[in-house]
Amino acid sequence: MSNMLPSILNGHAMNEHTPLEAQVITVTSGKGGVGKTTLTANVGIALAQLGRKVVVVDSDIGLRNLDLVMGLEHRIVYDIVDYVEGRCRLRQALIRDKRVAELFLLPAAQTRDKTAVNPQQMIQVCDELRKEFEFILIDSPAGIEQGFQNALAPADLVLVVINPEVSSVRDADRVIGLAESQGKTQIYLVINRVVPARVKRQEMLSVEDIKEVLSTEIIGIVPEDDAILSASNRGMPVVCNGKGPAALAYRDIARRLSGEHVPLEIPQALGWWQRLFGKAS
Amino acid sequence: MEALNRFFAKSNSAQVAKQRLQTLLAYDRLEIPPGVLALIKDDIVAAISRRVSVDCEHVNVNLLHEQNSSKLVVDIPLIANRGARAVRSAGRSNAR
């Protein structure tokens, strides 16, 4: 169990500019549509904003979307399959995100399928990327088939994204079991799209409920935020300039991954007084 | 009171979700299809019935899940033979 090992959540004294040993982080969920791609984009950008060298990898071959969410869709020339099959060098397939200092995207191929890359090749690609980057974030496809296996194989750390909803929690349990059976020990939950008012009315699973049911550590809680949809409409993830609850939550996750100790805050529903007169009162 | 109960039953769906998940995940983790419990029940009833009379209607086989372990809890009420003296409690005796 991940609980037995020294947890990254305890934080470790770290100068922000000390380079970190490269870490491959796989973002997965089992169920589709829970916010993996949005999380990968935002946490990737937030890590780069902290001064880290970051590459985000889209492993959803045939259904690539990370480029679109990040607003980099027009700049793709080569993709991961081109590199694996020897049509380009790795540098040529990496797209630089000019909004931040050190952030690159390795896009998936759109016209091929999951079998175009195998887990061994993904490990090799990541070993190459480890030489250049501190954080390698892999956006996994939904499901537990080969695309998921590709994304899982090179992972040092697994982020399981869930929504507070029964089918997402069940799928997450399966994914956690599969990751553990592959020898992964660093597995953390991100609870996405939490609506504090509905949790308060006891019509939505709470953070405590989910933690108890899945007995897995939580690394982030992201409240539901209207800004997310318009951010992906524009290809400008919320952490780029947003100050809303989701942007704050993604930045906290990045800081925790970067070794900082940031206490986990459970979002609370506002009372009628706060709703009327603002959160500060 | 009735109305109050209905009110809580409706608003407390998070609790229902949690309980359903805990049961379902116990089955998932053990890789037992839920229907297998009914088969196990039939097997147990058949085995016990060879020796004593079982109140088949009221046999219960449940999967109990705790933090790190799961166990089967089996409840088998027995029937006193006709002609024999009634069981003093007049109820069912439970073999666990």
Side-chain angles (χ1 to χ4, degrees):
Chain A
M1 282 305 289
S2 54
N3 302 355
M4 308 293 286
L5 287 151
S7 165
I8 59 163
L9 298 182
N10 298 328
H12 33 94
M14 181 83 61
N15 180 325
E16 274 199 21
H17 301 289
T18 314
L20 297 172
E21 199 180 318
Q23 204 170 27
V24 178
I25 300 172
T26 294
V27 180
T28 189
S29 67
K31 189 175 182 299
V34 297
K36 287 181 294 297
T37 303
T38 308
L39 180 105
T40 308
N42 279 287
V43 172
I45 294 170
L47 280 166
Q49 287 170 336
L50 292 172
R52 300 295 174 193
K53 293 180 165 181
V54 184
V55 58
V56 290
V57 179
D58 191 346
S59 73
D60 200 348
I61 298 169
L63 291 170
R64 76 173 171 216
N65 274 320
L66 187 54
D67 54 322
L68 190 56
V69 168
M70 295 180 77
L72 301 173
E73 69 274 20
H74 295 306
R75 301 194 27 222
I76 297 176
V77 182
Y78 296 109
D79 57 52
I80 191 169
V81 177
D82 291 322
Y83 168 66
V84 166
E85 295 182 349
R87 284 186 293 277
C88 70
R89 284 175 293 114
L90 188 52
R91 270 278 154 193
Q92 292 176 293
L94 293 174
I95 296 163
R96 189 186 178 111
D97 187 330
K98 295 166 189 159
R99 289 171 295 209
V100 244
E102 288 283 348
L103 177 64
F104 291 83
L105 164 71
L106 179 56
Q110 180 66 357
T111 53
R112 302 287 294 272
D113 67 59
K114 315 285 182 211
T115 57
V117 175
N118 64 40
Q120 202 49 46
Q121 289 167 324
M122 274 303 278
I123 291 173
Q124 284 160 3
V125 170
C126 287
D127 285 345
E128 278 304 305
L129 292 170
R130 280 175 201 271
K131 296 173 189 165
E132 303 272 335
F133 297 98
E134 296 173 273
F135 286 97
I136 299 144
L137 261 68
I138 304 178
D139 183 21
S140 157
I144 51 171
E145 295 79 24
Q146 185 168 348
F148 163 74
Q149 299 294 347
N150 286 343
L152 186 64
D156 300 316
L157 192 148
V158 181
L159 291 187
V160 180
V161 185
I162 62 171
N163 291 166
E165 170 268 319
V166 285
S167 48
S168 170
V169 174
R170 185 196 197 177
D171 289 3
D173 190 70
R174 181 101 168 92
V175 162
I176 292 166
L178 290 169
E180 283 174 346
S181 73
Q182 299 270 311
K184 308 297 176 189
T185 52
Q186 297 259 70
I187 303 172
Y188 298 96
L189 293 178
V190 176
I191 308 180
N192 198 19
R193 308 194 72 167
V194 174
V195 185
R198 303 193 74 179
V199 174
K200 193 179 176 189
R201 289 200 300 272
Q202 295 189 304
E203 53 182 47
M204 180 179 269
L205 286 164
S206 70
V207 169
E208 294 84 355
D209 289 340
I210 292 168
K211 190 175 180 181
E212 188 187 330
V213 167
L214 292 176
S215 45
T216 301
E217 272 194 83
I218 298 168
I219 198 173
I221 303 163
V222 185
E224 174 80 59
D225 188 338
D226 289 345
I228 294 290
L229 182 59
S230 40
S232 52
N233 287 345
R234 292 175 215 279
M236 179 71 86
V238 289
V239 293
C240 288
N241 47 26
K243 293 180 177 61
L248 296 178
Y250 289 132
R251 284 196 199 104
D252 282 352
I253 295 170
R255 287 164 65 199
R256 289 183 193 113
L257 290 171
S258 199
E260 235 181 287
H261 177 67
V262 184
L264 203 66
E265 258 181 67
I266 297 173
Q268 300 296 325
L270 300 181
W272 63 270
W273 183 263
Q274 290 162 310
R275 261 178 290 166
L276 268 178
F277 298 105
K279 207 176 176 180
S281 45
Chain B
M1 197 63 200
E2 179 87 352
L4 205 68
N5 281 340
R6 229 179 301 133
F7 175 77
F8 276 111
K10 192 183 172 195
S11 65
N12 217 348
S13 67
Q15 203 52 37
V16 178
K18 183 181 172 187
Q19 279 160 4
R20 289 180 62 218
L21 275 168
Q22 281 174 324
T23 310
L24 183 65
L25 293 185
Y27 284 100
D28 281 357
R29 287 170 190 167
L30 294 165
E31 295 179 16
I32 307 175
V36 165
L37 237 54
L39 301 178
I40 291 174
K41 179 176 155 180
D42 292 346
D43 293 347
I44 292 173
V45 168
I48 309 269
S49 303
R50 281 201 292 273
R51 307 283 177 201
V52 287
S53 306
V54 173
D55 179 3
C56 300
E57 295 284 294
H58 297 99
V59 172
N60 254 317
V61 178
N62 280 309
L63 192 63
L64 206 76
H65 48 85
E66 280 149 15
Q67 198 61 33
N68 290 312
S69 65
S70 297
K71 58 185 173 189
L72 277 180
V73 177
V74 184
D75 215 1
I76 308 169
L78 303 175
I79 305 171
N81 269 333
R82 239 174 267 152
R85 286 181 58 186
V87 179
R88 201 191 299 168
S89 69
R92 321 188 308 257
S93 60
N94 284 349
R96 218 172 228 225

